[in-house]
Amino acid sequence: MSTLASPDQPTLADFGQDVWWIVLIKIVGIFGVLVAMTLFAIVFERKVVARMQQRTGPNRVGPRGYLQSLADGLKLAFKEDIMPALADRPVYFLAPVIATIPAFLAFSVIPLGPTVSIFGERTPLQLTDAPIGVLIVLACSAMGVYGIVLAGWASGSTYPLLGGLRSAAQMVSYEIAMGLSIVAVFLYAGSMSTSEIVAAQANGTSLFGGTGNGPGWFAVLLPVSFVIYVIAVVGETNRAPFDLPEAESELVGGFHTEYSSLKFALFFLAEYVNMVTVSALAATLFLGGWRAPWPISWWDGANTGWWPLLWFFGKVVAALFVFIWLRGTLPRLRYDQFMRFGWKVLVPTALVWILVVATMRTVSREAGLDGGVVAVVVGVPIALLVIAGLLVASRRRNRDTRLGARAAAAGALRPPATEVLPPRGRPTAQGGFPVPPLDLVVPPSPRLRTREPVGAGAPAPVREEDVDV
Amino acid sequence: MSVLAAAADTAGQLGTGEAVVFWVLGPVALAGALGTVLSRNAVHSALWLVTTMLVLGVFYVVQGAPFLGAVQIIVYTGAVMILFLFVLMLVGRDTSDSVVETLRGQRVAAIVLGIGFAGLVGAGVARATQDVVPQGLGERAAGGNVEGIAALLFTRHLLAFEVTSALLITAAVGAMVLAHVEREPGSRPSQKELSRARFLTGDHPQTLPGPGVYARANSIAAPGRLPDGSPSPASASTGVEPQVVDELPRTGSTGAEREGLAHAGGTDAALGTLGGRTTGPTPGSGNGAPK
């Protein structure tokens, strides 16, 4: 699909022609961007999660606490570096390095913008590209697993080993779902190179003989792929709710329990760089890459020069926000549920979806039909059918609960006569199910609190008399 | 890419970039192979093997087969070797190869045979390839590496491809059949049932309270305390005689109250201790506070 929207769109032939100092500038630039994004993402995460939990978040270092990660980084660098007595020394030392290097390497094929001019040299805003660009990202994430697995093994203690084993199984499983979700994008874009995938999203699919311009983003054209990708990368990057390799309540810190100082900082860095990379890959594959989103794309200059950097990082930050949102919202899954979800839901869905997409592509090409027409005439009814089927199935599955709830609401259901004594104090269980205390009030937000005199003159706070254990 | 282009263009001779990559990474691959054989620790062996596989992947890329290189890294290094490591890690990290010879002269025989075999294979390969002029991919890779492999795989080598996939599926299904344990549905209570049972049969749906931590005692025998200061029986461990915690003399507000200074108030008054329950010599309203 050679839809070249403008001469600014780089093609594969444009790569590998740069002067050495341009390459050097790009390498240093990508490194700097990734480190800066990591520092930003940590503060951003803490601020957003704090906001979601009615707290203020870090507010001591720098303006409104936004330099907190710098202070944290310095603190980590000056902490004592511990080598556990039972550690396998060379592997223990290498593991954080192995985790970090592929994380940075993967970003080399992410297109940040169109062809621009750097000190008079025309060059694409992308370090390099290859006919198999996206596979390089997958290969790097495959190598990144080693860092975590080896860290867990080399620490010579139980919790890290369990964390390492978990992460090995988890990342290999979710990498399959992630790879399968991308296949549909390859089918549509006709290429595996990141710059050409961005180019393929430049022009929307023509609807009904090219009279209108449909959406071009693969997130819209291939919604199932997009959803699977988003879920799979959360598992792949070990982020909540899939952060089982470092589940605090079960494994202390998981694979990095025994690490301290800069080695721990490297793991931290690798995790956040991975997050940025998969967010950037999501933007590239599904959200139109560096191309301006819809209302802005009416402006002719939106996709030229250095402006696309802004759109690109806007999309990356939006994707990062989703990561943080998930962490602030969802509880951690149980390990067997998590694996069952990956293998029995995500992978089969991705396979069936690839089959559907390939069939539709072939049929439309053989019959000489418009891609958009096929999507509207065949795709939309099938999607509606599937959604309706899922709705009916879920209603049927919850039938007993629903009927029981209705009967209970009508007062028909009396709690069964139990042989055991009723629990003391506030009722915590009704019919065997835990219920939350119903008489609680939400405390006022600290941000809304007005400044009141604190001390002898302040009225004594009202205390709850009946304190439960 | 420049290396790639050079490799694809120069039919008949080795490009400079290709030569540099080969002479830098070739020794690394060799070192990886030797390390695999010579390492005492099984995990170290596996890591050396990973190094060799990684270098092989880079070699594929340099020789104009980027897809093959990526697949080598993703599948072999990323998936197969990780599973291998998984098993080795389960075996235990201190399991090194035994150096005791169970058969006499076994090690010498193995070394001699190994070197002999390596010499035979090496000489054979060297002789077979000494007059071969290196050729670029040229016309055969005109459509690109991905298309070239796809065309070969799904036309000429289709049968081998399908047979291999059938073999792999058989292996996977077989492993599952052998490892799977059939359990009667309902023979084990589910998490939901266990939760219901916990809530219905007692007033402790959560975990039991832990032992107390005091200034003078923090053993598991020291019971935790309820808010009214009495020891919590639920916190006592089974099979351990509960310890009586010796108290520090009362100070502070309670002392002030004893001196008749109740009007000055005190922490108990401020905290709104439940009326009447803490009066009397029950232990610990002032210090030895509950956790």
Side-chain angles (χ1 to χ4, degrees):
Chain A
M1 197 176 282
S2 60
T3 48
L4 294 190
S6 68
D8 288 335
Q9 171 67 51
T11 59
L12 268 181
D14 291 340
F15 294 97
Q17 321 283 346
D18 291 332
V19 205
W20 64 269
W21 52 268
I22 290 268
V23 175
L24 201 66
I25 288 177
K26 284 183 184 175
I27 291 176
V28 174
I30 284 180
F31 183 79
V33 159
L34 281 177
V35 172
M37 283 297 282
T38 303
L39 293 180
F40 163 76
I42 295 171
V43 178
F44 185 54
E45 169 160 18
R46 294 182 63 181
K47 282 281 188 187
V48 169
V49 170
R51 180 110 200 152
M52 287 175 176
Q53 297 171 349
Q54 304 247 12
R55 296 184 283 117
T56 319
N59 60 355
R60 294 287 133 178
V61 189
R64 300 178 70 95
Y66 276 101
L67 296 181
Q68 181 68 42
S69 8
L70 271 182
D72 285 349
L74 282 177
K75 181 199 75 175
L76 272 179
F78 286 114
K79 282 187 129 179
E80 185 188 357
D81 198 9
I82 295 169
M83 174 73 77
L86 282 177
D88 187 304
R89 281 160 188 275
V91 182
Y92 182 84
F93 186 81
L94 269 179
V97 182
I98 297 177
T100 314
I101 290 178
F104 277 95
L105 215 56
F107 214 79
S108 59
V109 289
I110 301 288
L112 305 181
T115 307
V116 295
S117 164
I118 302 179
F119 299 124
E121 296 270 342
R122 299 281 295 165
T123 178
L125 262 185
Q126 180 178 1
L127 178 55
T128 185
D129 201 1
I132 47 134
V134 180
L135 293 192
I136 292 179
V137 181
L138 288 183
C140 287
S141 75
M143 291 312 295
V145 184
Y146 276 101
I148 291 176
V149 172
L150 292 178
W153 175 78
S155 295
S157 106
T158 311
Y159 287 133
L161 180 68
L162 290 175
L165 288 176
R166 274 190 180 187
S167 75
Q170 164 173 347
M171 291 170 92
V172 169
S173 314
Y174 273 65
E175 215 169 66
I176 293 175
M178 179 182 162
L180 286 176
S181 74
I182 300 176
V183 170
V185 174
F186 295 158
L187 287 178
Y188 256 78
S191 170
M192 284 191 260
S193 113
T194 46
S195 58
E196 288 181 3
I197 287 175
V198 172
Q201 297 176 75
N203 295 338
T205 45
S206 53
L207 280 177
F208 302 107
T211 49
N213 229 353
W217 287 11
F218 287 138
V220 181
L221 292 178
L222 306 165
V224 179
S225 284
F226 182 55
V227 171
I228 294 177
Y229 176 84
V230 169
I231 298 175
V233 294
V234 177
E236 175 77 17
T237 48
N238 295 330
R239 291 281 307 179
F242 299 156
D243 55 344
L244 298 145
E246 40 190 311
E248 298 90 352
S249 51
E250 303 161 19
L251 296 178
V252 187
F255 62 89
H256 58 59
T257 306
E258 302 285 346
Y259 279 87
S260 66
S261 188
L262 274 180
K263 295 200 189 80
F264 174 75
L266 281 184
F267 280 121
F268 214 70
L269 185 68
E271 178 178 337
Y272 277 85
V273 169
N274 271 331
M275 244 169 84
V276 174
T277 305
V278 295
S279 301
L281 195 65
T284 303
L285 294 181
F286 293 103
L287 303 179
W290 43 263
R291 298 196 162 270
W294 167 64
I296 310 174
S297 58
W298 283 352
W299 170 38
D300 287 334
N303 286 329
T304 54
W306 293 84
W307 280 109
L309 271 184
L310 190 62
W311 320 139
F312 180 76
F313 281 107
K315 289 170 187 178
V316 170
V317 170
L320 283 178
F321 175 77
V322 173
F323 269 104
I324 298 164
W325 192 7
L326 288 176
R327 183 195 151 184
T329 313
L330 297 175
R332 187 180 296 130
L333 263 72
R334 216 172 60 199
Y335 194 70
D336 59 329
Q337 291 170 339
F338 170 72
M339 285 310 241
R340 186 183 307 149
F341 180 69
W343 284 103
K344 292 191 176 172
V345 178
L346 284 188
V347 172
T349 314
L351 284 174
V352 170
W353 174 245
I354 292 171
L355 207 65
V356 169
V357 168
T359 313
M360 273 172 64
R361 295 284 290 173
T362 314
V363 166
S364 66
R365 193 167 49 195
E366 295 293 319
L369 289 172
D370 233 0
V373 177
V374 177
V376 170
V377 175
V378 184
V380 172
I382 288 183
L384 287 179
L385 264 181
V386 169
I387 291 174
L390 286 178
L391 267 180
V392 169
S394 86
R395 260 183 87 80
R396 183 169 212 164
R397 211 170 135 201
N398 295 326
R399 189 164 173 275
D400 289 344
T401 314
R402 197 174 69 246
L403 290 184
R406 199 177 288 155
L413 209 66
R414 289 274 162 268
T418 49
E419 316 83 67
V420 294
L421 286 174
R424 289 195 304 269
R426 188 188 279 140
T428 53
Q430 305 233 319
F433 286 110
V435 291
L438 300 174
D439 52 352
L440 296 184
V441 284
V442 178
S445 164
R447 279 188 298 276
L448 299 176
R449 193 176 54 200
T450 51
R451 291 186 183 281
E452 283 171 3
V454 181
V462 182
R463 300 209 163 264
E464 202 177 341
E465 286 298 306
D466 189 349
V467 184
D468 267 20
V469 181
Chain B
M1 278 302 285
S2 56
V3 176
L4 270 186
D9 290 344
T10 53
Q13 66 206 16
L14 218 60
T16 323
E18 199 177 345
V20 170
V21 171
F22 177 78
W23 287 112
V24 171
L25 288 184
V28 177
L30 206 59
L34 286 177
T36 309
V37 181
L38 297 179
S39 288
R40 281 276 157 78
N41 191 317
V43 171
H44 290 180
S45 276
L47 286 182
W48 284 115
L49 190 56
V50 168
T51 315
T52 304
M53 285 179 163
L54 205 59
V55 172
L56 284 185
V58 177
F59 279 161
Y60 285 138
V61 174
V62 170
Q63 289 176 349
F67 181 74
L68 217 54
V71 168
Q72 161 87 14
I73 293 177
I74 294 173
V75 175
Y76 282 93
T77 337
V80 175
M81 282 311 291
I82 279 283
L83 293 182
F84 217 79
L85 262 186
F86 198 95
V87 176
L88 289 179
M89 283 159 69
L90 285 177
V91 168
R93 57 185 297 278
D94 290 326
T95 319
S96 299
D97 287 345
S98 165
V99 289
V100 179
E101 282 191 286
T102 43
L103 300 173
R104 267 179 97 80
Q106 162 203 29
R107 205 176 309 155
V108 177
I111 289 173
V112 168
L113 283 178
I115 291 177
F117 183 68
L120 273 179
V121 172
V125 170
R127 194 165 162 71
T129 56
Q130 69 180 5
D131 293 331
V132 173
V133 184
Q135 287 184 340
L137 287 173
E139 285 299 304
R140 273 152 291 180
N145 184 229
V146 184
E147 285 84 348
I149 288 183
L152 278 182
L153 210 55
F154 292 109
T155 53
R156 198 197 295 174
H157 301 296
L158 183 65
L159 182 67
F161 181 72
E162 292 297 333
V163 168
T164 313
S165 71
L167 179 72
L168 289 179
I169 288 176
T170 313
V173 171
M176 266 190 259
V177 167
L178 290 179
H180 184 67
V181 179
E182 194 68 46
R183 198 177 275 131
E184 280 290 315
S187 62
R188 272 172 101 190
S190 69
Q191 193 183 25
K192 197 174 185 178
E193 285 161 359
L194 286 174
S195 165
R196 280 186 69 106
R198 265 204 315 278
F199 270 84
L200 278 175
T201 53
D203 54 354
H204 265 294
Q206 75 279 48
T207 49
L208 292 171
V213 178
Y214 304 93
R216 294 188 176 181
N218 65 352
S219 85
I220 56 161
R225 288 206 168 146
L226 296 172
D228 62 358
S230 57
S232 159
S235 73
S237 305
T238 48
V240 179
E241 189 71 27
Q243 180 186 354
V244 179
V245 183
D246 55 336
E247 304 249 332
L248 290 169
R250 292 190 175 189
T251 54
S253 62
T254 333
E257 280 162 16
R258 240 185 280 142
E259 300 292 324
L261 296 174
H263 63 274
T267 44
D268 279 359
L271 286 172
T273 317
L274 303 178
R277 269 205 239 168
T278 48
T279 54
T282 45
S285 53
N287 41 48
K291 306 162 286 121

